[in-house]
Amino acid sequence: MKPVTITTLRELKQAGQKITCLTAYDYSFANLLDRTGLDAIMVGDSLGMTMQGHASTLPVTIDDMAYHCACVARA
């Protein structure tokens, strides 16, 4: 599959095509999602609640985001 870039997403939007995107926070789930042919995989600060057990996103640090983004990117 050809990599999806910002330009690709812009072209899809301009053409009126739907863009598919789901959230992953780790390698194994990102690997599964990547096999589905999604346009994009997002890593959001909601990992604070879903992965770290916090009550909100406020405790999530840039280091946390970088770690989870790196895990997803490896997939």
Side-chain angles (χ1 to χ4, degrees):
M1 278 185 348
K2 183 179 173 186
V4 176
T5 65
I6 295 296
T7 302
T8 308
L9 295 174
R10 185 178 300 118
E11 290 168 355
L12 289 171
K13 181 177 183 216
Q14 289 171 346
Q17 294 184 1
K18 299 205 185 238
I19 297 169
T20 57
C21 179
L22 288 174
T23 302
Y25 305 113
D26 59 27
Y27 171 85
S28 58
F29 200 66
N31 192 21
L32 287 171
L33 290 180
D34 191 47
R35 295 178 193 186
T36 68
L38 288 169
D39 295 316
I41 299 174
M42 179 181 80
V43 179
D45 61 356
S46 58
L47 66 89
M49 285 97 61
T50 60
M51 301 298 290
Q52 298 174 336
H54 296 297
S56 75
T57 60
L58 295 176
V60 178
T61 66
I62 294 294
D63 288 338
D64 292 334
M65 293 301 298
Y67 170 79
H68 288 276
C69 286
C71 292
V72 169
R74 280 192 289 275

